[in-house]
Short mmCIF file of all heavy atoms in Angstrom, two decimals:
data_model
loop_
_atom_site.label_atom_id
_atom_site.label_comp_id
_atom_site.label_asym_id
_atom_site.label_seq_id
_atom_site.Cartn_x
_atom_site.Cartn_y
_atom_site.Cartn_z
N VAL H 1 -6.98 -0.17 -19.63
CA VAL H 1 -7.68 -1.43 -19.34
C VAL H 1 -9.18 -1.22 -19.20
O VAL H 1 -9.92 -2.19 -19.00
CB VAL H 1 -7.12 -2.09 -18.07
CG1 VAL H 1 -5.68 -2.52 -18.28
CG2 VAL H 1 -7.20 -1.13 -16.87
N ASP H 2 -9.62 0.04 -19.26
CA ASP H 2 -11.04 0.38 -19.18
C ASP H 2 -11.68 -0.17 -17.90
O ASP H 2 -12.74 -0.79 -17.92
CB ASP H 2 -11.79 -0.15 -20.41
CG ASP H 2 -13.18 0.48 -20.55
OD1 ASP H 2 -13.36 1.59 -20.03
OD2 ASP H 2 -14.07 -0.17 -21.15
N ARG H 3 -11.01 0.06 -16.77
CA ARG H 3 -11.53 -0.35 -15.47
C ARG H 3 -10.83 0.46 -14.40
O ARG H 3 -9.89 1.22 -14.68
CB ARG H 3 -11.30 -1.84 -15.22
CG ARG H 3 -9.82 -2.24 -15.26
CD ARG H 3 -9.61 -3.66 -14.79
NE ARG H 3 -8.24 -4.09 -14.98
CZ ARG H 3 -7.21 -3.78 -14.19
NH1 ARG H 3 -7.42 -3.00 -13.14
NH2 ARG H 3 -5.99 -4.22 -14.45
N TRP H 4 -11.28 0.29 -13.14
CA TRP H 4 -10.57 0.94 -12.03
C TRP H 4 -9.18 0.31 -11.89
O TRP H 4 -9.06 -0.91 -11.81
CB TRP H 4 -11.36 0.78 -10.73
CG TRP H 4 -12.56 1.65 -10.69
CD1 TRP H 4 -13.81 1.34 -11.15
CD2 TRP H 4 -12.62 3.00 -10.21
NE1 TRP H 4 -14.65 2.41 -10.97
CE2 TRP H 4 -13.96 3.44 -10.40
CE3 TRP H 4 -11.69 3.87 -9.64
CZ2 TRP H 4 -14.38 4.72 -10.04
CZ3 TRP H 4 -12.11 5.14 -9.28
CH2 TRP H 4 -13.43 5.56 -9.47
N PRO H 5 -8.14 1.15 -11.86
CA PRO H 5 -6.77 0.62 -11.95
C PRO H 5 -6.17 0.17 -10.63
O PRO H 5 -5.08 0.60 -10.26
CB PRO H 5 -6.00 1.81 -12.53
CG PRO H 5 -6.71 3.00 -11.97
CD PRO H 5 -8.16 2.62 -11.89
N TRP H 6 -6.88 -0.66 -9.90
CA TRP H 6 -6.28 -1.31 -8.74
C TRP H 6 -6.85 -2.71 -8.58
O TRP H 6 -7.45 -3.05 -7.57
CB TRP H 6 -6.44 -0.49 -7.46
CG TRP H 6 -7.66 0.37 -7.34
CD1 TRP H 6 -8.92 -0.01 -7.03
CD2 TRP H 6 -7.69 1.79 -7.51
NE1 TRP H 6 -9.76 1.07 -6.99
CE2 TRP H 6 -9.04 2.20 -7.28
CE3 TRP H 6 -6.75 2.76 -7.83
CZ2 TRP H 6 -9.44 3.54 -7.37
CZ3 TRP H 6 -7.15 4.07 -7.92
CH2 TRP H 6 -8.47 4.45 -7.69
N GLY H 7 -6.60 -3.51 -9.63
CA GLY H 7 -7.08 -4.87 -9.64
C GLY H 7 -6.02 -5.90 -9.32
O GLY H 7 -6.30 -7.10 -9.32
N ASN H 8 -4.77 -5.46 -9.07
CA ASN H 8 -3.71 -6.39 -8.71
C ASN H 8 -2.72 -5.68 -7.79
O ASN H 8 -2.86 -4.48 -7.51
CB ASN H 8 -3.00 -6.94 -9.95
CG ASN H 8 -2.53 -5.84 -10.89
OD1 ASN H 8 -1.74 -4.99 -10.51
ND2 ASN H 8 -3.03 -5.85 -12.13
N MET H 9 -1.73 -6.42 -7.32
CA MET H 9 -0.79 -5.89 -6.33
C MET H 9 -0.03 -4.68 -6.86
O MET H 9 0.16 -3.69 -6.15
CB MET H 9 0.18 -7.01 -5.93
CG MET H 9 1.13 -6.62 -4.81
SD MET H 9 0.28 -6.52 -3.23
CE MET H 9 1.68 -6.38 -2.14
N TYR H 10 0.41 -4.75 -8.10
CA TYR H 10 1.16 -3.64 -8.69
C TYR H 10 0.33 -2.36 -8.67
O TYR H 10 0.80 -1.30 -8.21
CB TYR H 10 1.57 -4.00 -10.11
CG TYR H 10 2.10 -2.83 -10.91
CD1 TYR H 10 3.38 -2.33 -10.69
CD2 TYR H 10 1.32 -2.22 -11.88
CE1 TYR H 10 3.87 -1.25 -11.41
CE2 TYR H 10 1.80 -1.14 -12.62
CZ TYR H 10 3.06 -0.66 -12.38
OH TYR H 10 3.54 0.41 -13.10
N GLU H 11 -0.87 -2.43 -9.17
CA GLU H 11 -1.72 -1.25 -9.25
C GLU H 11 -2.07 -0.73 -7.85
O GLU H 11 -2.15 0.48 -7.62
CB GLU H 11 -2.98 -1.58 -10.03
CG GLU H 11 -2.72 -1.92 -11.49
CD GLU H 11 -3.93 -2.44 -12.22
OE1 GLU H 11 -4.98 -2.66 -11.56
OE2 GLU H 11 -3.86 -2.65 -13.44
N PHE H 12 -2.27 -1.66 -6.92
CA PHE H 12 -2.63 -1.27 -5.56
C PHE H 12 -1.48 -0.51 -4.88
O PHE H 12 -1.70 0.52 -4.23
CB PHE H 12 -3.00 -2.51 -4.76
CG PHE H 12 -3.66 -2.23 -3.44
CD1 PHE H 12 -4.91 -1.63 -3.38
CD2 PHE H 12 -3.04 -2.56 -2.24
CE1 PHE H 12 -5.53 -1.36 -2.17
CE2 PHE H 12 -3.64 -2.30 -1.02
CZ PHE H 12 -4.89 -1.71 -0.99
N VAL H 13 -0.25 -0.99 -5.04
CA VAL H 13 0.89 -0.31 -4.42
C VAL H 13 1.12 1.06 -5.05
O VAL H 13 1.39 2.04 -4.33
CB VAL H 13 2.16 -1.19 -4.55
CG1 VAL H 13 3.40 -0.42 -4.09
CG2 VAL H 13 2.02 -2.47 -3.74
N VAL H 14 0.98 1.16 -6.36
CA VAL H 14 1.12 2.47 -7.03
C VAL H 14 0.08 3.44 -6.47
O VAL H 14 0.39 4.62 -6.22
CB VAL H 14 0.97 2.31 -8.55
CG1 VAL H 14 0.88 3.68 -9.23
CG2 VAL H 14 2.15 1.53 -9.13
N ALA H 15 -1.13 2.97 -6.26
CA ALA H 15 -2.18 3.83 -5.74
C ALA H 15 -1.93 4.22 -4.28
O ALA H 15 -2.19 5.36 -3.89
CB ALA H 15 -3.53 3.12 -5.86
N ILE H 16 -1.41 3.30 -3.47
CA ILE H 16 -1.12 3.63 -2.07
C ILE H 16 0.00 4.66 -1.97
O ILE H 16 -0.06 5.57 -1.13
CB ILE H 16 -0.78 2.35 -1.28
CG1 ILE H 16 -2.03 1.53 -1.02
CG2 ILE H 16 -0.11 2.70 0.05
CD1 ILE H 16 -1.81 0.29 -0.21
N CYS H 17 1.03 4.54 -2.81
CA CYS H 17 2.09 5.55 -2.81
C CYS H 17 1.52 6.92 -3.16
O CYS H 17 1.89 7.94 -2.55
CB CYS H 17 3.18 5.15 -3.82
SG CYS H 17 4.13 3.70 -3.33
N PHE H 18 0.63 6.94 -4.14
CA PHE H 18 -0.04 8.19 -4.50
C PHE H 18 -0.84 8.74 -3.32
O PHE H 18 -0.80 9.94 -3.04
CB PHE H 18 -0.95 7.96 -5.70
CG PHE H 18 -1.81 9.14 -6.06
CD1 PHE H 18 -1.27 10.23 -6.72
CD2 PHE H 18 -3.15 9.16 -5.73
CE1 PHE H 18 -2.06 11.33 -7.04
CE2 PHE H 18 -3.95 10.25 -6.05
CZ PHE H 18 -3.40 11.33 -6.71
N ALA H 19 -1.55 7.87 -2.62
CA ALA H 19 -2.35 8.30 -1.48
C ALA H 19 -1.48 8.83 -0.35
O ALA H 19 -1.83 9.82 0.31
CB ALA H 19 -3.21 7.14 -0.98
N ALA H 20 -0.33 8.20 -0.11
CA ALA H 20 0.57 8.65 0.95
C ALA H 20 1.12 10.04 0.64
O ALA H 20 1.17 10.92 1.52
CB ALA H 20 1.71 7.66 1.14
N VAL H 21 1.53 10.25 -0.61
CA VAL H 21 2.05 11.57 -1.00
C VAL H 21 0.93 12.61 -0.96
O VAL H 21 1.14 13.76 -0.55
CB VAL H 21 2.70 11.50 -2.39
CG1 VAL H 21 3.13 12.89 -2.85
CG2 VAL H 21 3.90 10.56 -2.36
N THR H 22 -0.27 12.21 -1.37
CA THR H 22 -1.41 13.12 -1.29
C THR H 22 -1.68 13.53 0.15
O THR H 22 -1.97 14.70 0.43
CB THR H 22 -2.67 12.45 -1.88
OG1 THR H 22 -2.42 12.08 -3.25
CG2 THR H 22 -3.86 13.39 -1.85
N ALA H 23 -1.60 12.57 1.07
CA ALA H 23 -1.81 12.88 2.49
C ALA H 23 -0.77 13.88 2.98
O ALA H 23 -1.10 14.83 3.70
CB ALA H 23 -1.75 11.60 3.31
N PHE H 24 0.49 13.68 2.58
CA PHE H 24 1.55 14.60 2.99
C PHE H 24 1.34 16.00 2.41
O PHE H 24 1.38 17.00 3.13
CB PHE H 24 2.91 14.05 2.56
CG PHE H 24 4.01 15.06 2.57
CD1 PHE H 24 4.50 15.58 3.76
CD2 PHE H 24 4.58 15.53 1.38
CE1 PHE H 24 5.51 16.53 3.78
CE2 PHE H 24 5.58 16.46 1.39
CZ PHE H 24 6.05 16.97 2.59
N LEU H 25 1.10 16.07 1.10
CA LEU H 25 0.94 17.38 0.45
C LEU H 25 -0.33 18.08 0.92
O LEU H 25 -0.36 19.31 1.09
CB LEU H 25 0.92 17.21 -1.06
CG LEU H 25 2.23 16.73 -1.69
CD1 LEU H 25 2.06 16.48 -3.18
CD2 LEU H 25 3.35 17.75 -1.45
N GLY H 26 -1.40 17.30 1.14
CA GLY H 26 -2.62 17.91 1.65
C GLY H 26 -2.43 18.47 3.05
O GLY H 26 -2.93 19.55 3.37
N THR H 27 -1.71 17.75 3.89
CA THR H 27 -1.41 18.24 5.24
C THR H 27 -0.52 19.48 5.18
O THR H 27 -0.68 20.42 5.96
CB THR H 27 -0.74 17.14 6.07
OG1 THR H 27 -1.56 15.98 6.07
CG2 THR H 27 -0.52 17.60 7.51
N GLN H 28 0.42 19.50 4.24
CA GLN H 28 1.34 20.62 4.09
C GLN H 28 0.59 21.91 3.72
O GLN H 28 1.02 23.00 4.09
CB GLN H 28 2.39 20.29 3.02
CG GLN H 28 3.30 21.44 2.62
CD GLN H 28 4.14 21.98 3.76
OE1 GLN H 28 4.47 21.24 4.68
NE2 GLN H 28 4.49 23.25 3.70
N ILE H 29 -0.52 21.79 3.03
CA ILE H 29 -1.30 22.98 2.67
C ILE H 29 -1.84 23.66 3.94
O ILE H 29 -1.87 24.88 4.03
CB ILE H 29 -2.47 22.58 1.74
CG1 ILE H 29 -1.92 22.12 0.38
CG2 ILE H 29 -3.43 23.76 1.54
CD1 ILE H 29 -2.97 21.60 -0.57
N ARG H 30 -2.22 22.85 4.91
CA ARG H 30 -2.82 23.40 6.14
C ARG H 30 -1.78 23.64 7.23
O ARG H 30 -1.85 24.63 7.96
CB ARG H 30 -3.89 22.43 6.64
CG ARG H 30 -4.59 22.86 7.93
CD ARG H 30 -5.39 24.14 7.73
NE ARG H 30 -6.08 24.51 8.96
CZ ARG H 30 -5.53 25.20 9.96
NH1 ARG H 30 -4.26 25.59 9.88
NH2 ARG H 30 -6.24 25.52 11.03
N PHE H 31 -0.80 22.74 7.34
CA PHE H 31 0.23 22.85 8.38
C PHE H 31 1.61 22.72 7.73
O PHE H 31 1.75 22.10 6.68
CB PHE H 31 0.07 21.74 9.44
CG PHE H 31 -1.30 21.67 10.04
CD1 PHE H 31 -2.20 20.71 9.60
CD2 PHE H 31 -1.69 22.54 11.03
CE1 PHE H 31 -3.46 20.62 10.15
CE2 PHE H 31 -2.96 22.46 11.58
CZ PHE H 31 -3.85 21.51 11.13
N ASN H 32 2.61 23.28 8.39
CA ASN H 32 3.98 23.16 7.88
C ASN H 32 4.57 21.84 8.34
O ASN H 32 5.07 21.73 9.46
CB ASN H 32 4.84 24.34 8.37
CG ASN H 32 6.25 24.26 7.82
OD1 ASN H 32 6.52 23.55 6.84
ND2 ASN H 32 7.16 24.99 8.42
N VAL H 33 4.51 20.83 7.47
CA VAL H 33 5.05 19.51 7.82
C VAL H 33 6.15 19.10 6.84
O VAL H 33 6.34 17.92 6.56
CB VAL H 33 3.93 18.44 7.85
CG1 VAL H 33 2.98 18.69 9.00
CG2 VAL H 33 3.18 18.38 6.52
N ARG H 34 6.88 20.09 6.32
CA ARG H 34 7.95 19.75 5.38
C ARG H 34 9.01 18.86 6.01
O ARG H 34 9.73 18.17 5.29
CB ARG H 34 8.61 21.03 4.82
CG ARG H 34 7.80 21.74 3.76
CD ARG H 34 8.68 22.36 2.68
NE ARG H 34 9.69 23.25 3.20
CZ ARG H 34 9.57 24.58 3.26
NH1 ARG H 34 8.46 25.16 2.86
NH2 ARG H 34 10.55 25.32 3.71
N PHE H 35 9.09 18.87 7.33
CA PHE H 35 10.08 18.01 8.00
C PHE H 35 9.82 16.53 7.73
O PHE H 35 10.71 15.70 7.90
CB PHE H 35 10.07 18.28 9.51
CG PHE H 35 8.72 18.18 10.16
CD1 PHE H 35 8.20 16.94 10.52
CD2 PHE H 35 7.97 19.31 10.41
CE1 PHE H 35 6.96 16.83 11.13
CE2 PHE H 35 6.71 19.22 11.02
CZ PHE H 35 6.21 17.98 11.38
N LEU H 36 8.59 16.19 7.32
CA LEU H 36 8.28 14.81 6.97
C LEU H 36 8.60 14.49 5.52
O LEU H 36 8.56 13.33 5.11
CB LEU H 36 6.79 14.51 7.22
CG LEU H 36 6.32 14.47 8.68
CD1 LEU H 36 4.81 14.27 8.72
CD2 LEU H 36 7.01 13.36 9.43
N GLY H 37 8.90 15.52 4.73
CA GLY H 37 9.03 15.35 3.29
C GLY H 37 10.04 14.31 2.87
O GLY H 37 9.75 13.45 2.02
N ALA H 38 11.24 14.37 3.44
CA ALA H 38 12.29 13.44 3.01
C ALA H 38 11.88 12.00 3.26
O ALA H 38 12.13 11.11 2.43
CB ALA H 38 13.60 13.75 3.76
N PHE H 39 11.18 11.76 4.36
CA PHE H 39 10.85 10.39 4.74
C PHE H 39 9.62 9.87 3.98
O PHE H 39 9.56 8.70 3.62
CB PHE H 39 10.62 10.34 6.25
CG PHE H 39 11.76 10.93 7.02
CD1 PHE H 39 11.70 12.25 7.47
CD2 PHE H 39 12.91 10.21 7.25
CE1 PHE H 39 12.76 12.81 8.16
CE2 PHE H 39 13.98 10.76 7.94
CZ PHE H 39 13.91 12.06 8.39
N VAL H 40 8.66 10.75 3.70
CA VAL H 40 7.51 10.35 2.89
C VAL H 40 7.95 10.11 1.45
O VAL H 40 7.53 9.14 0.80
CB VAL H 40 6.40 11.41 2.95
CG1 VAL H 40 5.26 11.05 1.98
CG2 VAL H 40 5.86 11.54 4.36
#
């Protein structure tokens, strides 16, 4: 679409899911938080 891909609800939710998983994996690099993995 040649634009930032969060211009509607669908794109925004896809991006938030990506951000949530990024937060989990980024935290896992520094701390052992695999216990949150199933729920995230």
Side-chain angles (χ1 to χ4, degrees):
V1 294
D2 195 25
R3 60 171 173 78
W4 286 89
W6 30 79
N8 52 60
M9 185 72 169
Y10 168 76
E11 295 172 354
F12 192 66
V13 172
V14 171
I16 286 182
C17 291
F18 173 76
V21 175
T22 302
F24 163 69
L25 293 175
T27 305
Q28 172 62 29
I29 293 175
R30 179 65 178 84
F31 307 101
N32 182 18
V33 292
R34 283 216 305 263
F35 53 82
L36 291 176
F39 308 97
V40 174

